[in-house]
Amino acid sequence: MEKEEVQIDDSDKRKKPLTLEHVDQAINRYIDEKNVASSFRSLLKNEVKIVEEHTLELQLKNSVEKKFLGEIEVELVKFLRDALENDYVLVSTSFNQAETVRTAYTNAEIFEEMLAKKPELIKLRDELGLDTDF
């Protein structure tokens, strides 16, 4: 049995250039037309950059947002390809490092965070004989 090579004709694919203005309009239209839930709405309002020729990079704050995006990503990409008249559009993500802040949960972590802001607390802790590691 012979294998036959299949050539896909790229001439039928749409390849309109992307602009941030058109991308923002398309995302807002997606939010309105699909009646997107508020959790997804805030995610889609994050900053978007055009990287490479056809890749949109959505700036995320944390891994939870990436999980939410995964739930709508296929539908979003399809919508954006149609709205932007570009069949090569892809959506990638990156984490906005400036907004990624570790939250202190334990008493020791809270004290360390306070100590970074006010180093004189160590003297107060020692004078009062406090245990901050509980």
Side-chain angles (χ1 to χ4, degrees):
M1 184 171 181
E2 275 186 48
K3 290 186 178 180
E4 189 175 319
E5 285 189 33
V6 177
Q7 295 284 334
I8 298 175
D9 188 14
D10 280 350
S11 63
D12 292 340
K13 292 194 173 196
R14 300 170 293 175
K15 196 174 180 178
K16 188 174 180 181
L18 301 176
T19 65
L20 280 177
E21 182 182 345
H22 289 122
V23 170
D24 288 339
Q25 290 172 354
I27 290 173
N28 287 330
R29 212 166 74 224
Y30 175 80
I31 291 169
D32 293 339
E33 288 180 18
K34 300 295 182 176
N35 199 18
V36 174
S38 62
S39 56
F40 296 114
R41 188 179 303 261
S42 64
L43 166 72
L44 294 173
K45 292 291 185 177
N46 287 345
E47 181 184 355
V48 176
K49 296 178 184 177
I50 298 173
V51 293
E52 298 177 12
E53 193 176 352
H54 306 288
T55 304
L56 305 176
E57 184 178 84
L58 185 61
Q59 301 291 311
L60 302 179
K61 294 178 186 102
N62 54 47
S63 59
V64 174
E65 285 188 339
K66 183 155 179 84
K67 182 179 175 187
F68 275 121
L69 180 63
E71 294 179 25
I72 62 168
E73 189 171 11
V74 172
E75 180 184 40
L76 176 65
V77 169
K78 184 179 181 318
F79 184 90
L80 290 175
R81 285 179 177 177
D82 289 339
L84 298 171
E85 299 176 24
N86 188 323
D87 294 323
Y88 295 94
V89 169
L90 296 172
V91 174
S92 70
T93 59
S94 69
F95 291 104
N96 188 344
Q97 295 300 323
E99 298 216 19
T100 304
V101 178
R102 183 163 180 336
T103 304
Y105 291 107
T106 67
N107 291 333
E109 290 173 342
I110 292 170
F111 183 74
E112 289 297 321
E113 196 172 285
M114 290 169 46
L115 196 56
K117 294 176 185 174
K118 301 276 186 189
E120 57 272 6
L121 286 175
I122 199 144
K123 181 181 174 189
L124 183 63
R125 179 194 67 183
D126 292 342
E127 285 178 5
L128 296 175
L130 300 175
D131 181 16
T132 58
D133 297 329
F134 55 93

